Amino acid sequence: MDLNEHKIVIETLKGVESGRKCFRMVGGVLVERTVADVLPELEGNKERLPAALQALHEQLSKKGIEINEYIEKHDIKVQRGTESAEAPQADTPAKSNVLVASS
C-alpha cells in the first residue's frame, strides 16, 4: 500500500511547479516544505521500500524456522481449540442423565 501511495503522490507532484509549497507527515508531525524538497525524498523512499519488504520477509522466514526448531527440540504439541474440542465428543458414546421425580 505504501508503495502505491508513493507512486500516486510522486505522479501528482511531478505535474506541479517546484516552488509550490506542500505538506508532508513526518513522524506524526505535519511539516511544510516545497515540492522541490519533498519529491527527491519520496523517490528515494520509493526505491528503498522493496528492499525493506524483502528484509522483513527474510526475517519472518528465519523466525518461522527458529520456532519450528524450538517446537521439535522441546517436543511441544500444538492443540487447536476447535479440533480438540470436537474430537473427544465424536469418539466417546453419548451419555445422558435422566432425573425422574416420583410422587
Side-chain angles (χ1 to χ4, degrees):
M1 285 181 14
D2 285 345
L3 186 61
N4 190 29
E5 288 178 12
H6 275 72
K7 287 179 184 178
I8 291 170
V9 172
I10 289 171
E11 289 175 10
T12 304
L13 290 179
K14 282 185 178 180
V16 177
E17 63 185 53
S18 62
R20 187 173 176 177
K21 69 178 175 180
C22 66
F23 295 91
R24 181 174 182 213
M25 185 73 72
V26 178
V29 178
L30 194 61
V31 179
E32 181 181 341
R33 301 257 175 99
T34 62
V35 173
D37 294 335
V38 173
L39 194 57
E41 293 174 14
L42 287 175
E43 290 173 342
N45 287 347
K46 181 184 159 199
E47 298 291 325
R48 288 188 296 270
L49 278 174
L53 185 62
Q54 180 64 30
L56 288 174
H57 281 292
E58 290 173 4
Q59 289 176 0
L60 180 64
S61 64
K62 286 179 184 178
K63 188 56 74 174
I65 292 170
E66 183 180 320
I67 289 171
N68 288 336
E69 289 173 354
Y70 183 85
I71 288 172
E72 289 176 10
K73 178 181 176 184
H74 296 287
D75 195 28
I76 297 174
K77 305 272 191 273
V78 178
Q79 293 182 347
R80 306 265 186 242
T82 56
E83 294 173 7
S84 64
E86 293 174 4
Q89 292 175 355
D91 294 339
T92 59
K95 295 182 182 180
S96 62
N97 295 331
V98 178
L99 177 63
V100 177
S102 61
S103 42

